[in-house]
Amino acid sequence: MFRNLKEDIQSVFDRDPAARNWFEVILNYPGLHAILIHRFSHKLWQWNLKTLARWVSQLARWFTGIEIHPGAKLGRRFFIDHGMGVVIGETAEIGDDVTIYQGVTLGGTSWEKGKRHPTLEDGVIVGAGAKVLGPFTVGKNARVGSNAVVTKAVPENATVVGIPGRIVKQQGEKILPFSDQQKAMADKVGFDAYGVSQMPDPTSHAIMALLEHIHAQDQRMDVMCKALKRIDASYTSTASPELSDEDFAPIEDSDRSANAGG
C-alpha cells in the first residue's frame, strides 16, 4: 500500500513540472486524492461491500470533481492532471503509467451487463475533453488527442484525433496524406494534450484535395480546347458552368482557421 502511495506521488513529479514538494502534492492535487480514495473504495467493492464502496466513491466525487466507479481497475503510477469532470466507468481497466487530463470520459455505449468500458494499456495518454466509449482496447503508448471521440480499438503507438477519432500516426509514421504544411506541424507537435496546435482534419483535407484536382483538370481542358481550336477553326467548346466564390467560402474559411491553429 505504501509503495503504491509513494509511486502515485512520484508520478505527479514525473509528469507535472509545477509540482514542487511532497507536502504540496499531497495537499493540493485532486487527481491524487481521487486515486487514493478509489484504491480504498475498490477494496470495499472486492469485499462485496458495494453500497459502502459506492458511497465512498461519491464522497471522492464531491470533493474532487472526479468520478471513478469503485469497480474500475487502476494500474500503478496512474496520473490524472487537473481532473475536473473526469468520469471512469465500472468496467474500465487502466494499465500502468497512464495519464489522462481533465474532462476525459471512459464510458460505455451499451446498457447490457458485462464489459462496457474501455481498457487503456500501459503508457496511454488521453488529452483533455476526450471521450473513449465502448468495450475495446487502446494499445500501449497510444495517444488520444483532446476532444477526440474514440469508439473503436486503437493499436499500439498510434495517435488518434478528431470526431470520430481517426488514426493519424502509428509507430511514428503518419497515416493521412498531409500537405507539406501539415507534415511540418505534425513533425513539430506530434501530440498535443490540450489541442491548441493544428491537428489534421481528414474530411477537410479530402475536400480541398478534390477541389485542387478539379481546378487542375479545368486548366488542362482549357489547354486542350485551345489546341483543338487552332487545328479546326470551326470547333466551338461548350462553356463550363460558372462557379461562385461564395459557394466555397465556408470550406476556405475552415481551412484558413485550421492553418491558423483553430
Side-chain angles (χ1 to χ4, degrees):
M1 176 179 177
F2 288 104
R3 185 186 70 172
N4 286 341
L5 173 61
K6 185 177 180 180
E7 286 184 342
D8 288 336
I9 295 173
Q10 186 58 46
S11 70
V12 176
F13 288 104
D14 293 340
R15 282 171 264 180
D16 186 0
R20 296 185 298 179
N21 56 66
W22 282 54
F23 180 73
E24 183 180 82
V25 168
I26 293 173
L27 194 64
N28 297 314
Y29 277 71
L32 177 64
H33 301 158
I35 291 170
L36 295 179
I37 297 173
H38 173 269
R39 298 204 189 281
F40 175 62
S41 68
H42 185 62
K43 284 293 183 184
L44 296 174
W45 187 266
Q46 291 177 319
W47 295 337
N48 208 32
L49 300 173
K50 290 185 166 44
T51 300
L52 181 58
R54 289 297 302 270
W55 181 75
V56 171
S57 70
Q58 285 299 305
L59 284 179
R61 179 173 179 255
W62 292 337
F63 284 116
T64 66
I66 299 168
E67 181 175 342
I68 308 176
H69 193 284
K73 298 177 182 178
L74 307 186
R76 295 165 60 184
R77 298 177 296 278
F78 178 40
F79 178 51
I80 303 175
D81 198 3
H82 301 295
M84 181 61 70
V86 165
V87 177
I88 300 176
E90 176 187 3
T91 60
E93 299 178 45
I94 297 175
D96 298 337
D97 303 301
V98 170
T99 302
I100 66 176
Y101 290 79
Q102 68 271 16
V104 167
T105 298
L106 304 183
T109 57
S110 170
W111 290 350
E112 301 293 329
K113 291 187 180 295
K115 177 69 171 171
R116 308 184 306 280
H117 304 93
T119 296
L120 308 186
E121 294 188 339
D122 298 349
V124 170
I125 299 177
V126 184
K131 310 294 184 263
V132 186
L133 308 174
F136 55 83
T137 298
V138 179
K140 290 183 179 179
N141 301 312
R143 305 289 184 262
V144 178
S146 65
N147 299 314
V149 177
V150 183
T151 57
K152 59 184 179 180
V154 178
E156 294 183 6
N157 300 301
T159 299
V160 177
V161 300
I163 303 174
R166 297 177 176 88
I167 298 173
V168 295
K169 268 190 177 184
Q170 188 171 352
Q171 304 294 345
E173 298 294 328
K174 291 176 285 294
I175 303 300
L176 295 174
F178 296 163
S179 66
D180 291 339
Q181 185 178 15
Q182 288 173 325
K183 286 179 182 178
M185 184 61 71
D187 290 337
K188 179 179 179 182
V189 176
F191 170 77
D192 192 337
Y194 289 99
V196 296
S197 301
Q198 175 187 352
M199 287 290 183
D201 181 348
T203 303
S204 175
H205 175 86
I207 293 173
M208 292 304 298
L210 286 172
L211 291 176
E212 291 173 2
H213 181 72
I214 293 171
H215 181 64
Q217 291 289 81
D218 285 344
Q219 290 180 324
R220 193 172 183 180
M221 290 296 295
D222 286 342
V223 172
M224 293 174 63
C225 288
K226 289 177 181 177
L228 288 172
K229 184 70 173 178
R230 287 195 297 270
I231 295 172
D232 183 358
S234 63
Y235 172 77
T236 302
S237 61
T238 303
S240 300
E242 290 292 332
L243 296 176
S244 172
D245 291 340
E246 287 75 12
D247 294 334
F248 300 99
I251 298 174
E252 292 175 351
D253 291 344
S254 174
D255 189 62
R256 194 177 298 115
S257 298
N259 291 335

